[in-house]
Amino acid sequence: MQTKRKWGEALRRSPSSMASFPSIPSPLPLLSLFLLLSIPPVAPIQPQWPLQRVPVVLPQVTEDRPAPHFQADARLDVTSPCDPECHKKALPPSYWDLRSILSYETLHSNGRLTETAVGIYGYTARTQTTPALPSRRKRQIFGHDGRFSIVGQDFLLNYPFSAAVKLSTGCSGTLVGDRHVLTAAHCVHDGKNYVKGAQKLRVGFLKPKQRDSPNPASATNASNTHPSPPDKMKFQWIRAKRTHVPKGWIKGNGNDIGMDYDYALLELKKAHKRRHMKLGVSPPAKQLPGRRVQFSGYDNDRPGQLVYRFCRAGEETPDLLYQHCDAQPGASGSGIYARMWDRRRRRWERKVIGVFSGHQWVDRDGASQEFNVAVRVTPLKYAQICYWIKGNYVDCREG
């Protein structure tokens, strides 16, 4: 009653307040309004990372393979005769097929090449489901360019942009561990053999240039007469120690490439000391915030610049995501990521859920059509890549 009395007195004292509530004839509706305003608003439904257990992919036998030739030029795009409908009609691989596909080669910095067979445990057909597929949209390659160049040290050196790196073969990658970089397989292997520069592969981190100033007075005078461009950046490089490529990518025929397995993991010779992104299992596109994906890479038409983009996710198969982000060669290998609520840790988390493979040209109904393709991180791929990073399966059971 004291609350009603205060509200009534406030309205009587303020003509403007009375004008604001012309339809309230008595204190009772006023109390109802007060109680309604006192109820906390209902929080919007937060996009959440799905809770699921992932299978186990364990290495079993490792054997030496003949040394690579390193003769092919690195390709910054890929070609496949199989369009989305073709991928959807393909029969799912059997358990034994998956064991062969997820076996992998490891290229060492000294030129040694090994092949490792794997075992798969805890995998069922329900682990990897085919989501509902929306109607296809052709990618629009003309019109407004939706990319953003990230400039300024405050952005480039801060997460999540600082997790994007450049490969010496011309591609991009994403930090997913203290020493690990996730990228596209075609950046180091053309489907037949390892490309030029793969043995001495380097990973570039964009950093500010250090200005030489032996004499403070002369440096001050020089800056007054010829000011240096702000936020000038350069790459600092770290050599790769090992490169893992799944056998699903290595088909022995460069024109018959396993698009579903266009991913590779690099292990660096030393820690990079930057914040890295977590790896996550790719949820269906309809569960992504705004149904959008985003990624940052080093497109060739903007040398020395980090390019960020976000766009709507389109058609999908169990292994591939067809999205409509504008991109140029050089962005291949960038980590596709999303930011959603982690209900276990009760915080927002960014996770890498795919690898940008690049443009894909296919013949469809007698006409050439273009798609932008990303390889999804499925539960099995998560288990494999996570083991490469962690070295054990205990830390890789929840995607």
Short mmCIF file of all heavy atoms in Angstrom, two decimals, residues 33-70:
data_model
loop_
_atom_site.label_atom_id
_atom_site.label_comp_id
_atom_site.label_asym_id
_atom_site.label_seq_id
_atom_site.Cartn_x
_atom_site.Cartn_y
_atom_site.Cartn_z
N LEU A 33 0.80 -2.25 -13.31
CA LEU A 33 1.88 -1.79 -14.18
C LEU A 33 3.22 -1.85 -13.44
O LEU A 33 4.24 -2.27 -14.00
CB LEU A 33 1.60 -0.37 -14.65
CG LEU A 33 2.70 0.28 -15.52
CD1 LEU A 33 2.87 -0.51 -16.81
CD2 LEU A 33 2.34 1.73 -15.81
N PHE A 34 3.20 -1.44 -12.16
CA PHE A 34 4.42 -1.46 -11.37
C PHE A 34 4.95 -2.89 -11.21
O PHE A 34 6.15 -3.16 -11.37
CB PHE A 34 4.16 -0.84 -10.00
CG PHE A 34 5.32 -0.99 -9.05
CD1 PHE A 34 6.47 -0.21 -9.22
CD2 PHE A 34 5.27 -1.88 -7.99
CE1 PHE A 34 7.54 -0.35 -8.36
CE2 PHE A 34 6.34 -2.02 -7.14
CZ PHE A 34 7.48 -1.24 -7.31
N LEU A 35 4.05 -3.84 -10.93
CA LEU A 35 4.46 -5.23 -10.79
C LEU A 35 4.99 -5.78 -12.10
O LEU A 35 5.95 -6.56 -12.15
CB LEU A 35 3.28 -6.06 -10.29
CG LEU A 35 2.81 -5.75 -8.88
CD1 LEU A 35 1.56 -6.57 -8.54
CD2 LEU A 35 3.91 -6.00 -7.85
N LEU A 36 4.39 -5.35 -13.22
CA LEU A 36 4.84 -5.83 -14.52
C LEU A 36 6.25 -5.32 -14.81
O LEU A 36 7.10 -6.05 -15.31
CB LEU A 36 3.88 -5.34 -15.62
CG LEU A 36 4.21 -5.76 -17.06
CD1 LEU A 36 4.17 -7.29 -17.17
CD2 LEU A 36 3.22 -5.14 -18.04
N LEU A 37 6.50 -4.05 -14.47
CA LEU A 37 7.83 -3.50 -14.71
C LEU A 37 8.87 -4.11 -13.78
O LEU A 37 10.07 -4.09 -14.07
CB LEU A 37 7.80 -1.98 -14.51
CG LEU A 37 6.98 -1.20 -15.53
CD1 LEU A 37 6.94 0.28 -15.14
CD2 LEU A 37 7.54 -1.35 -16.93
N SER A 38 8.43 -4.64 -12.64
CA SER A 38 9.36 -5.23 -11.68
C SER A 38 9.82 -6.62 -12.09
O SER A 38 10.82 -7.12 -11.58
CB SER A 38 8.71 -5.31 -10.29
OG SER A 38 8.32 -4.02 -9.85
N ILE A 39 9.10 -7.27 -13.02
CA ILE A 39 9.47 -8.62 -13.44
C ILE A 39 10.69 -8.52 -14.36
O ILE A 39 10.67 -7.76 -15.32
CB ILE A 39 8.31 -9.30 -14.18
CG1 ILE A 39 7.10 -9.42 -13.25
CG2 ILE A 39 8.73 -10.68 -14.70
CD1 ILE A 39 5.88 -9.98 -13.92
N PRO A 40 11.76 -9.24 -14.08
CA PRO A 40 12.94 -9.17 -14.96
C PRO A 40 12.61 -9.69 -16.35
O PRO A 40 11.82 -10.62 -16.50
CB PRO A 40 13.97 -10.07 -14.26
CG PRO A 40 13.16 -10.98 -13.40
CD PRO A 40 11.95 -10.19 -12.98
N PRO A 41 13.16 -9.06 -17.38
CA PRO A 41 12.86 -9.51 -18.73
C PRO A 41 13.37 -10.91 -18.97
O PRO A 41 14.38 -11.33 -18.41
CB PRO A 41 13.60 -8.50 -19.62
CG PRO A 41 14.70 -7.96 -18.73
CD PRO A 41 14.12 -7.96 -17.35
N VAL A 42 12.66 -11.64 -19.81
CA VAL A 42 13.06 -13.01 -20.14
C VAL A 42 14.26 -12.94 -21.07
O VAL A 42 14.23 -12.27 -22.09
CB VAL A 42 11.90 -13.76 -20.82
CG1 VAL A 42 12.34 -15.17 -21.20
CG2 VAL A 42 10.69 -13.80 -19.90
N ALA A 43 15.33 -13.61 -20.69
CA ALA A 43 16.55 -13.59 -21.51
C ALA A 43 16.30 -14.31 -22.82
O ALA A 43 15.60 -15.33 -22.86
CB ALA A 43 17.70 -14.26 -20.75
N PRO A 44 16.83 -13.77 -23.90
CA PRO A 44 16.67 -14.46 -25.18
C PRO A 44 17.37 -15.81 -25.17
O PRO A 44 18.32 -16.03 -24.43
CB PRO A 44 17.34 -13.50 -26.17
CG PRO A 44 18.29 -12.71 -25.34
CD PRO A 44 17.65 -12.56 -24.00
N ILE A 45 16.87 -16.70 -25.98
CA ILE A 45 17.46 -18.02 -26.06
C ILE A 45 18.87 -17.89 -26.63
O ILE A 45 19.08 -17.32 -27.69
CB ILE A 45 16.61 -18.95 -26.94
CG1 ILE A 45 15.21 -19.11 -26.33
CG2 ILE A 45 17.27 -20.30 -27.11
CD1 ILE A 45 14.27 -19.93 -27.16
N GLN A 46 19.86 -18.40 -25.91
CA GLN A 46 21.24 -18.28 -26.33
C GLN A 46 21.63 -19.46 -27.21
O GLN A 46 21.32 -20.60 -26.89
CB GLN A 46 22.16 -18.23 -25.11
CG GLN A 46 21.94 -17.05 -24.19
CD GLN A 46 22.73 -17.17 -22.91
OE1 GLN A 46 23.05 -18.27 -22.48
NE2 GLN A 46 23.06 -16.04 -22.31
N PRO A 47 22.31 -19.19 -28.33
CA PRO A 47 22.84 -20.30 -29.11
C PRO A 47 23.89 -21.03 -28.30
O PRO A 47 24.83 -20.41 -27.77
CB PRO A 47 23.45 -19.61 -30.34
CG PRO A 47 23.70 -18.21 -29.91
CD PRO A 47 22.65 -17.88 -28.90
N GLN A 48 23.75 -22.33 -28.15
CA GLN A 48 24.61 -23.10 -27.26
C GLN A 48 25.37 -24.16 -28.03
O GLN A 48 24.84 -24.75 -28.99
CB GLN A 48 23.78 -23.76 -26.15
CG GLN A 48 23.06 -22.77 -25.24
CD GLN A 48 22.28 -23.48 -24.14
OE1 GLN A 48 22.15 -24.69 -24.15
NE2 GLN A 48 21.77 -22.71 -23.20
N TRP A 49 26.58 -24.41 -27.60
CA TRP A 49 27.34 -25.51 -28.16
C TRP A 49 26.66 -26.82 -27.78
O TRP A 49 26.34 -27.03 -26.61
CB TRP A 49 28.78 -25.50 -27.64
CG TRP A 49 29.60 -24.39 -28.17
CD1 TRP A 49 30.03 -23.29 -27.51
CD2 TRP A 49 30.09 -24.26 -29.51
NE1 TRP A 49 30.76 -22.48 -28.33
CE2 TRP A 49 30.81 -23.05 -29.58
CE3 TRP A 49 29.98 -25.04 -30.66
CZ2 TRP A 49 31.42 -22.60 -30.74
CZ3 TRP A 49 30.59 -24.60 -31.83
CH2 TRP A 49 31.30 -23.40 -31.86
N PRO A 50 26.41 -27.69 -28.74
CA PRO A 50 25.73 -28.96 -28.41
C PRO A 50 26.62 -29.84 -27.54
O PRO A 50 27.85 -29.86 -27.69
CB PRO A 50 25.48 -29.59 -29.79
CG PRO A 50 26.49 -28.96 -30.69
CD PRO A 50 26.71 -27.57 -30.17
N LEU A 51 25.98 -30.54 -26.62
CA LEU A 51 26.70 -31.47 -25.76
C LEU A 51 26.69 -32.84 -26.41
O LEU A 51 25.63 -33.40 -26.67
CB LEU A 51 26.05 -31.54 -24.38
CG LEU A 51 26.00 -30.22 -23.59
CD1 LEU A 51 25.23 -30.42 -22.29
CD2 LEU A 51 27.40 -29.72 -23.30
N GLN A 52 27.86 -33.36 -26.69
CA GLN A 52 27.91 -34.69 -27.28
C GLN A 52 29.25 -35.34 -26.99
O GLN A 52 30.27 -34.67 -26.84
CB GLN A 52 27.69 -34.63 -28.79
CG GLN A 52 28.69 -33.80 -29.56
CD GLN A 52 28.45 -33.85 -31.05
OE1 GLN A 52 28.24 -34.92 -31.62
NE2 GLN A 52 28.42 -32.70 -31.69
N ARG A 53 29.21 -36.65 -26.90
CA ARG A 53 30.43 -37.42 -26.74
C ARG A 53 30.95 -37.78 -28.12
O ARG A 53 30.19 -38.07 -29.05
CB ARG A 53 30.14 -38.69 -25.95
CG ARG A 53 29.57 -38.44 -24.58
CD ARG A 53 30.62 -37.99 -23.61
NE ARG A 53 31.49 -39.09 -23.18
CZ ARG A 53 32.49 -38.94 -22.32
NH1 ARG A 53 32.77 -37.75 -21.83
NH2 ARG A 53 33.23 -39.97 -21.97
N VAL A 54 32.25 -37.76 -28.26
CA VAL A 54 32.84 -38.07 -29.56
C VAL A 54 33.56 -39.41 -29.47
O VAL A 54 33.93 -39.87 -28.38
CB VAL A 54 33.84 -36.97 -29.98
CG1 VAL A 54 33.13 -35.64 -30.12
CG2 VAL A 54 34.98 -36.85 -28.99
N PRO A 55 33.74 -40.07 -30.61
CA PRO A 55 34.44 -41.36 -30.59
C PRO A 55 35.93 -41.18 -30.32
O PRO A 55 36.42 -40.07 -30.12
CB PRO A 55 34.18 -41.90 -32.01
CG PRO A 55 33.94 -40.68 -32.84
CD PRO A 55 33.26 -39.69 -31.94
N VAL A 56 36.64 -42.28 -30.33
CA VAL A 56 38.08 -42.27 -30.10
C VAL A 56 38.79 -42.74 -31.36
O VAL A 56 38.43 -43.76 -31.95
CB VAL A 56 38.46 -43.19 -28.92
CG1 VAL A 56 39.97 -43.30 -28.77
CG2 VAL A 56 37.83 -42.67 -27.63
N VAL A 57 39.78 -41.97 -31.80
CA VAL A 57 40.62 -42.34 -32.94
C VAL A 57 42.04 -42.45 -32.43
O VAL A 57 42.65 -41.44 -32.06
CB VAL A 57 40.52 -41.31 -34.08
CG1 VAL A 57 41.46 -41.68 -35.22
CG2 VAL A 57 39.09 -41.20 -34.59
N LEU A 58 42.57 -43.68 -32.39
CA LEU A 58 43.89 -43.92 -31.80
C LEU A 58 44.87 -44.43 -32.85
O LEU A 58 44.52 -45.30 -33.66
CB LEU A 58 43.79 -44.96 -30.68
CG LEU A 58 43.18 -44.50 -29.36
CD1 LEU A 58 43.19 -45.66 -28.37
CD2 LEU A 58 43.95 -43.32 -28.79
N PRO A 59 46.10 -43.92 -32.85
CA PRO A 59 47.13 -44.48 -33.74
C PRO A 59 47.51 -45.88 -33.30
O PRO A 59 47.53 -46.18 -32.10
CB PRO A 59 48.30 -43.49 -33.59
CG PRO A 59 48.09 -42.85 -32.25
CD PRO A 59 46.60 -42.80 -32.05
N GLN A 60 47.83 -46.72 -34.28
CA GLN A 60 48.18 -48.10 -33.96
C GLN A 60 49.57 -48.48 -34.45
O GLN A 60 50.45 -48.78 -33.66
CB GLN A 60 47.12 -49.06 -34.55
CG GLN A 60 45.76 -48.91 -33.88
CD GLN A 60 44.76 -49.95 -34.35
OE1 GLN A 60 44.82 -50.42 -35.49
NE2 GLN A 60 43.82 -50.31 -33.49
N VAL A 61 49.76 -48.46 -35.77
CA VAL A 61 51.04 -48.86 -36.33
C VAL A 61 51.56 -47.73 -37.21
O VAL A 61 50.83 -47.20 -38.04
CB VAL A 61 50.91 -50.15 -37.17
CG1 VAL A 61 52.26 -50.54 -37.76
CG2 VAL A 61 50.35 -51.28 -36.33
N THR A 62 52.83 -47.38 -37.04
CA THR A 62 53.47 -46.34 -37.85
C THR A 62 54.62 -46.95 -38.64
O THR A 62 55.46 -47.66 -38.08
CB THR A 62 54.00 -45.20 -36.96
OG1 THR A 62 52.91 -44.59 -36.26
CG2 THR A 62 54.70 -44.13 -37.80
N GLU A 63 54.63 -46.69 -39.95
CA GLU A 63 55.66 -47.22 -40.84
C GLU A 63 56.27 -46.10 -41.67
O GLU A 63 55.60 -45.11 -41.98
CB GLU A 63 55.08 -48.30 -41.76
CG GLU A 63 54.51 -49.50 -41.03
CD GLU A 63 53.90 -50.51 -41.99
OE1 GLU A 63 53.65 -50.12 -43.16
OE2 GLU A 63 53.67 -51.66 -41.58
N ASP A 64 57.52 -46.28 -42.07
CA ASP A 64 58.17 -45.32 -42.94
C ASP A 64 57.66 -45.46 -44.37
O ASP A 64 57.36 -46.58 -44.84
CB ASP A 64 59.69 -45.52 -42.91
CG ASP A 64 60.32 -45.00 -41.63
OD1 ASP A 64 59.96 -43.89 -41.21
OD2 ASP A 64 61.16 -45.72 -41.05
N ARG A 65 57.58 -44.34 -45.06
CA ARG A 65 57.18 -44.29 -46.46
C ARG A 65 58.29 -43.65 -47.27
O ARG A 65 59.18 -42.98 -46.72
CB ARG A 65 55.89 -43.47 -46.61
CG ARG A 65 54.72 -43.96 -45.77
CD ARG A 65 54.27 -45.34 -46.19
NE ARG A 65 53.76 -45.34 -47.57
CZ ARG A 65 53.54 -46.45 -48.28
NH1 ARG A 65 53.83 -47.63 -47.75
NH2 ARG A 65 53.07 -46.37 -49.50
N PRO A 66 58.29 -43.86 -48.61
CA PRO A 66 59.32 -43.22 -49.44
C PRO A 66 59.28 -41.71 -49.29
O PRO A 66 58.23 -41.10 -49.12
CB PRO A 66 58.93 -43.65 -50.86
CG PRO A 66 58.15 -44.91 -50.68
CD PRO A 66 57.41 -44.75 -49.38
N ALA A 67 60.46 -41.10 -49.35
CA ALA A 67 60.56 -39.65 -49.18
C ALA A 67 59.81 -38.92 -50.30
O ALA A 67 59.84 -39.35 -51.46
CB ALA A 67 62.02 -39.23 -49.17
N PRO A 68 59.11 -37.84 -50.00
CA PRO A 68 58.38 -37.08 -51.02
C PRO A 68 59.33 -36.39 -52.00
O PRO A 68 60.53 -36.25 -51.75
CB PRO A 68 57.59 -36.05 -50.20
CG PRO A 68 57.63 -36.55 -48.80
CD PRO A 68 58.89 -37.30 -48.66
N HIS A 69 58.75 -35.91 -53.13
CA HIS A 69 59.54 -35.25 -54.16
C HIS A 69 59.54 -33.73 -54.01
O HIS A 69 60.45 -33.06 -54.47
CB HIS A 69 59.02 -35.62 -55.55
CG HIS A 69 59.04 -37.10 -55.82
ND1 HIS A 69 60.19 -37.86 -55.77
CD2 HIS A 69 58.03 -37.97 -56.13
CE1 HIS A 69 59.90 -39.13 -56.05
NE2 HIS A 69 58.60 -39.22 -56.27
N PHE A 70 58.47 -33.18 -53.44
CA PHE A 70 58.34 -31.72 -53.25
C PHE A 70 58.50 -30.96 -54.58
O PHE A 70 59.24 -29.98 -54.68
CB PHE A 70 59.39 -31.20 -52.24
CG PHE A 70 59.36 -31.88 -50.92
CD1 PHE A 70 60.39 -32.73 -50.53
CD2 PHE A 70 58.29 -31.69 -50.05
CE1 PHE A 70 60.36 -33.36 -49.30
CE2 PHE A 70 58.25 -32.33 -48.82
CZ PHE A 70 59.29 -33.16 -48.44
#
